[in-house]
Amino acid sequence: MPRKKAAAAGLGGRPSSGNGTARAGPRKRGGPPQERRGSSGDEDGLELDGAPGGGKRAARPTAAKAAAGRDHHRAEHTKERKLEGSKCKGQLLIFGATNWDLIGRKEVPKQQAAYRNLGQNLWGPHRYGCLSGVRVRTVVSGSCAAHSLLITTEGKLWSWGRNEKGQLGHGDTKRVEAPKLIEGLSQEVIVSAACGRNHTLALTETGSVLAFGENKMGQLGLGNQTDAVPSPAQIMYNGQPITKMACGAEFSMIMDCKGNLYSFGCPEYGQLGHNSDGKFIARAQRIEYDCELVPRRVAIFIEKTKDGQILPVPNVVVRDVACGANHTLVLDSQKRVFSWGFGGYGRLGHAEQKDEMVPRLVKLFDFPGRGASQIYAGYTCSFAVSEVGGLFFWGATNTSRESTMYPKAVQDLCGWRIRSLACGKSSIIVAADESTISWGPSPTFGELGYGDHKPKSSTAAQEVKTLDGIFTEQVAMGYAHSLVIARDESETEKEKIKKLPEYNPRTL
């Protein structure tokens, strides 16, 4: 367990309450296979004065109108100021599972089996041979994703990994073993990006969003539903410039420069925040979903009092958004945290397992001096860093063990200054001070980075000794792999990185 002498930060831990196991229910047609409905009693039933169902649905713009609006907004915004990407600079390191077609599955789908996947489990950090000389400022994956992205210091987007739905943006559905430039975006300066299970969003410096990959649930925001969109396409949106984005398994969130939040895609657990799970019974007597095909503003934020009253929280200005597989977290300008979507395993932090259809205030952070400064969402869990630096966790990483039903301080990391945190399916990696720290229950595939012939998993936070002497600027995690940006400013740092093994995937 990592030890630090720094002043203990954060609030006292609270014991976890209840055991948070979700009841497996029948799988809904068209819904994500991994998630089952939690034991949520009532489903909807929330209506606030003047805004039943989360406000009016915006009229859907025609493609031509939307494009004209976008160009106008883009031109206006360009006059003002351009968005800036991360200030990090360094080299990409990878560890964990690289058998992209197999990750999260029992076997490779038949159509992929013909192209034997030659990836392996990398138990310690490796650098890609093909990236020598490429300096990276951002790495991106997602807790549901078997694909990854990197943004270079020049703002170019590269992608690699699973690609059955065109989520790599290369215009085809062929798997890519090592990072490769997305040619269709080579004229754009990309400042950030996000990965869902099989879809990707990319944000340009002018505040416009391009999407590619699976669009069965409308998660690309293109106004339609299609199986695969293999080349970058502009989303149907003509509002203020976008500044932040996040992707869940089959849904997406975007935030504009004024702090408004918009969502689109699969509404199955209420994760879109529009006071509905979109469920309806089709003529064939089967359950289907009314997906949001274009970005729709999240209109209502609420809090629940101890005696069960539901009160609207006015004037919420969103500052950050994070998505798990089927839940969403938001941080607002007053350092408050809201959560909604799938409630199983306590991942919403409300001490109950009910699904929430609109953003609900997480009480713990709603006190002076106790606000949050960062939020992160894992597959079935959530994290927040408090304004005084303490790390809080709720939900579950090991779904066979007890769940943490509301935010609880992570004692192992008391006093560490957290720069970056990422979650996979059940593992966590953190960049803090001079160290990289990770933990996660078995089974793992190398994403903890402890090295060959070392323990493969750990329930307590451990320093990643294979990265000793290497300063981690940023971390990202996919379903079962980790990505790290290693700082390479000094000769000593360059030498350290050079000593790491090189990963050159065999390609067919």
Side-chain angles (χ1 to χ4, degrees), residues 6 65 142 151 212 265 370 471:
K65 258 192 192 163
I151 303 172
F212 38 100
R370 275 188 170 195
F471 183 87

Side-chain angles (χ1 to χ4, degrees), residues 141-145 323-324 376-383 393 397 420-430 439 447 475-482:
S141 193
S143 62
C144 312
C323 297
Y376 301 97
Y379 199 94
T380 51
C381 65
S382 305
F383 286 89
F393 167 83
T397 50
S420 177
L421 181 150
C423 312
K425 173 69 167 73
S426 55
S427 297
I428 293 123
I429 188 164
V430 177
W439 69 98
E447 70 269 26
V475 291
M477 216 178 220
Y479 187 95
H481 69 285
S482 297

Side-chain angles (χ1 to χ4, degrees), residues 21-28 32-44 267-271 276-279 287 289 326 341-345 347 353-357:
T21 30
R23 271 213 311 267
R27 178 167 163 219
K28 303 204 184 102
Q34 270 84 341
E35 215 41 298
R36 298 282 184 263
R37 265 204 102 66
S39 44
S40 82
D42 79 66
E43 301 232 337
D44 233 82
E268 187 180 358
Y269 303 97
Q271 65 266 48
S276 160
D277 59 6
K279 229 189 335 191
I287 290 173
Y289 293 90
N326 291 304
F342 188 71
Y345 304 114
R347 74 193 81 179
Q353 296 204 64
K354 201 166 99 22
D355 295 358
E356 298 288 342
M357 302 288 149

Side-chain angles (χ1 to χ4, degrees), residues 35-153:
E35 215 41 298
R36 298 282 184 263
R37 265 204 102 66
S39 44
S40 82
D42 79 66
E43 301 232 337
D44 233 82
L46 168 71
E47 230 173 76
L48 297 172
D49 291 351
K56 285 185 187 154
R57 188 183 292 239
R60 293 189 176 173
T62 64
K65 258 192 192 163
R70 276 194 299 267
D71 292 343
H72 173 70
H73 274 287
R74 210 191 279 192
E76 287 293 306
H77 187 58
T78 311
K79 272 185 246 167
E80 291 164 30
R81 63 171 208 274
K82 292 188 172 171
L83 295 174
E84 287 188 2
S86 153
K87 298 282 186 287
C88 297
K89 284 189 184 79
Q91 293 191 35
L92 173 79
L93 305 178
I94 182 168
F95 38 101
T98 63
N99 191 333
W100 307 120
D101 292 335
L102 193 59
I103 288 169
R105 296 169 167 164
K106 293 204 166 46
E107 57 185 46
V108 171
K110 283 195 175 66
Q111 70 273 24
Q112 303 303 115
Y115 311 98
R116 248 173 342 112
N117 192 347
L118 305 166
Q120 61 202 75
N121 290 349
L122 308 173
W123 296 100
H126 284 63
R127 52 199 172 82
Y128 273 108
C130 63
L131 287 180
S132 65
V134 175
R135 299 197 79 205
V136 177
R137 74 172 177 208
T138 306
V139 286
V140 183
S141 193
S143 62
C144 312
H147 69 292
S148 305
L149 312 166
L150 67 82
I151 303 172
T152 66
T153 48

Side-chain angles (χ1 to χ4, degrees), residues 251-253 261-263 267 269-276 298-302 316 318 320-331 337-343 347-350 354-362 375 377 382 394:
F251 71 102
S252 305
M253 294 273 163
L261 187 70
Y262 299 82
S263 62
Y269 303 97
Q271 65 266 48
L272 298 186
H274 302 310
N275 198 18
S276 160
V298 176
I300 300 176
F301 292 77
I302 63 151
V316 174
V318 177
D320 202 3
V321 57
C323 297
N326 291 304
H327 75 290
T328 307
L329 299 177
V330 143
L331 178 67
V337 177
F338 294 82
S339 67
W340 66 100
F342 188 71
R347 74 193 81 179
L348 300 184
H350 304 307
K354 201 166 99 22
D355 295 358
E356 298 288 342
M357 302 288 149
V358 292
R360 177 180 168 188
L361 186 69
V362 179
I375 49 167
S382 305
W394 58 102

Side-chain angles (χ1 to χ4, degrees), residues 399-478:
T399 50
S400 61
R401 302 276 297 274
E402 202 170 85
S403 304
T404 303
M405 298 299 291
Y406 46 78
K408 198 176 154 188
V410 179
Q411 300 297 353
D412 284 359
L413 286 171
C414 229
W416 288 79
R417 267 210 326 278
I418 291 165
R419 234 183 348 276
S420 177
L421 181 150
C423 312
K425 173 69 167 73
S426 55
S427 297
I428 293 123
I429 188 164
V430 177
D433 295 317
E434 302 297 309
S435 301
T436 309
I437 296 159
S438 67
W439 69 98
S442 181
T444 60
F445 304 90
E447 70 269 26
L448 301 180
Y450 298 151
D452 291 316
H453 318 301
K454 290 283 187 298
K456 302 286 188 259
S457 62
S458 170
T459 50
Q462 303 278 342
E463 287 187 64
V464 182
K465 296 288 186 204
T466 52
L467 287 169
D468 268 0
I470 291 173
F471 183 87
T472 296
E473 291 272 15
Q474 191 227 316
V475 291
M477 216 178 220

